Amino acid sequence: MGARKSSHRNRAGDGIVAAVLAWYDANARALPWRRPPGVAEPADPYRVWLSEIMLQQTTVAAVRPRFERFLARWPTVEALAAASVDDVLGEWAGLGYYARARNLHKCAVEIAARGAFPDDEATLVALPGVGAYTAAAIAAIAFDKKAVVVDGNVERVMARLFAVETPLPSAKPELKRATASVWPDKRSGDFAQSLMDLGAGVCTPRAPECGACPLSRFCRAFALGAAQEYPRRAPKKQKPTRYGAGFALFDSKGRVLVERRPDKGLLGGMLGLPGTEWITERPNGDALAAAPAKAPWRHAGLARHTFTHFHLELDVYAGEGAARRIGGRYEWADPETVRLPTVMRKALDLAFKQK
Ligand code: SF4
């Protein structure tokens, strides 16, 4: 990039920063982990960290009540560090990968031992479960450090602002450079959050409201009349489907048999219904051979769930009786209150209807 071009971009960058911060001052979303714009005291790093880990897989709307509950139960990082891993995993149920919850707890223990959150990206990124994005978000939002924070919303805004032709995901480094080229030295945290809010509320994936956007006069995609055509995307690979069976065995007291899944792997360490492996071919053998009891099993339906890398079709069977195996990883639980990951809750709800 030549000197002339770069000075043009810097001037445009200043205009972009001023426009988006002024818009943020008037339109910032009120979120429970946030310090409103213009308030002098910094955001609580514990809240920022917790919200960022939760938001990695779930929407703001879904995270908000779960965040409040987490915070009511564990108001400080020290309180979270003192909790049992099982309690944390239970509270995490339905929020996605459980490895995140385990790392959350590990990280809380480490922070509690250090006495405070570190405030620089390099130290933050070495903490359990804290990736480059989360480290930058904490450094910028909780400590107002100049750290370039690029999530999906920011990527979309930048791809449109600069009409980036490289398709995602290969465009990621280019989008990060574009973001860095406009990042301000001051109000770094507010700038990060202003771009996130703009992406979530104005520059939305399907219906960007360019007429209401503070960046429209800088935006190349808008000038081209092609906002929705950015970011460019590589053709999507189809997700494969896996198949399996799950068994809901109820005892005479109405309890259901659940199994603690192995620590490693998908849904690791969580409770679930006993079942078969999840395999890539539709099984043609007898799934009931894997059942935890010789019961008159009824087919209760098909629980469908989509994970990040595959769809799952789980044949759910319901039955009553005594378990062939109990103890070890197995236990009886109240089917209404047991905390299960979403796919297992869907399966148990199907079985419950058949009871
Ligand atoms: Fe997005 Fe439209 Fe604003 Fe460009 S003008 S940043 S496309 S909302």
Side-chain angles (χ1 to χ4, degrees):
M1 186 187 294
R4 189 156 167 259
K5 205 166 171 188
S6 134
S7 82
H8 275 301
R9 180 176 258 198
N10 287 341
R11 278 207 299 278
D14 290 345
I16 287 167
V17 170
V20 82
L21 283 176
W23 173 85
Y24 181 68
D25 287 343
N27 297 286
R29 287 177 291 180
L31 298 172
W33 47 87
R34 242 187 207 182
R35 164 182 62 85
V39 171
E41 77 260 22
D44 175 0
Y46 173 57
R47 288 172 174 240
V48 174
W49 163 72
L50 185 58
S51 65
E52 287 299 339
I53 303 286
M54 286 185 171
L55 285 165
Q56 282 170 9
Q57 291 165 286
T58 320
T59 60
V60 166
V63 162
R64 193 192 283 259
R66 304 302 302 273
F67 176 85
E68 306 267 23
R69 239 172 56 189
F70 243 81
L71 212 71
R73 194 162 177 189
W74 300 300
T76 61
V77 73
E78 290 78 14
L80 183 59
S84 79
V85 181
D86 277 354
D87 282 350
V88 175
L89 287 173
E91 199 61 64
W92 192 264
L95 277 171
Y97 289 128
Y98 294 92
R100 293 241 162 92
R102 266 196 296 274
N103 274 331
L104 188 85
H105 185 259
K106 244 194 234 168
C107 186
V109 170
E110 212 168 306
I111 301 293
R114 294 172 69 100
F117 272 88
D119 64 0
D120 64 289
E121 272 182 277
T123 317
L124 282 161
V125 85
L127 292 169
V130 176
Y133 161 78
T134 308
I138 299 170
I141 298 170
F143 299 106
D144 220 20
K145 293 283 176 90
K146 184 172 179 178
V148 180
V149 186
V150 187
D151 69 355
N153 282 330
V154 178
E155 278 180 350
R156 184 170 57 257
V157 173
M158 290 298 151
R160 290 172 175 172
L161 200 53
F162 296 109
V164 171
E165 293 300 335
T166 315
L168 277 172
S170 343
K172 281 176 177 288
E174 194 175 341
L175 292 171
K176 182 145 192 193
R177 283 196 299 277
T179 314
S181 76
V182 296
W183 205 271
D185 295 330
K186 290 191 183 141
R187 296 192 68 189
S188 177
D190 283 349
F191 188 65
Q193 293 173 104
S194 68
L195 289 179
M196 290 172 184
D197 282 15
L198 193 76
V202 178
C203 193
T204 55
R206 281 187 200 90
E209 291 179 44
C210 301
C213 178
L215 297 184
S216 57
R217 69 181 188 279
F218 305 99
C219 182
R220 292 191 59 191
F222 175 59
L224 294 167
Q228 272 154 283
E229 288 164 37
Y230 296 88
R232 305 285 197 208
R233 290 194 185 275
K236 263 198 178 163
K237 271 197 218 141
Q238 280 239 306
K239 276 187 195 186
T241 300
R242 291 191 195 165
Y243 306 89
F247 301 96
L249 180 68
F250 297 95
D251 73 358
S252 55
K253 296 178 187 157
R255 298 175 305 176
V256 67
L257 186 73
V258 290
E259 173 191 19
R260 174 83 54 195
R261 296 176 62 87
D263 276 348
K264 291 236 154 41
L266 203 61
L267 311 180
M270 293 304 296
L271 291 174
L273 296 181
T276 62
E277 298 280 307
W278 300 344
I279 55 175
T280 51
E281 301 286 316
R282 193 179 284 281
N284 41 23
D286 182 9
L288 297 184
K294 275 209 168 124
W297 291 103
R298 298 178 304 281
H299 189 243
L302 198 60
R304 289 197 172 86
H305 189 73
T306 295
F307 293 96
T308 315
H309 300 298
F310 64 93
H311 304 290
L312 176 68
E313 291 190 2
L314 198 65
D315 278 298
V316 182
Y317 296 88
E320 283 92 35
R324 220 166 16 213
R325 30 185 138 119
I326 183 75
R329 301 212 321 267
Y330 296 86
E331 58 189 87
W332 293 104
D334 181 332
E336 302 213 36
T337 57
V338 63
R339 304 297 301 268
L340 295 173
T342 308
V343 58
M344 293 297 172
R345 175 46 62 189
K346 283 183 191 170
L348 181 54
D349 286 351
L350 272 178
F352 211 55
K353 278 193 209 139
Q354 282 278 315
K355 225 166 101 48

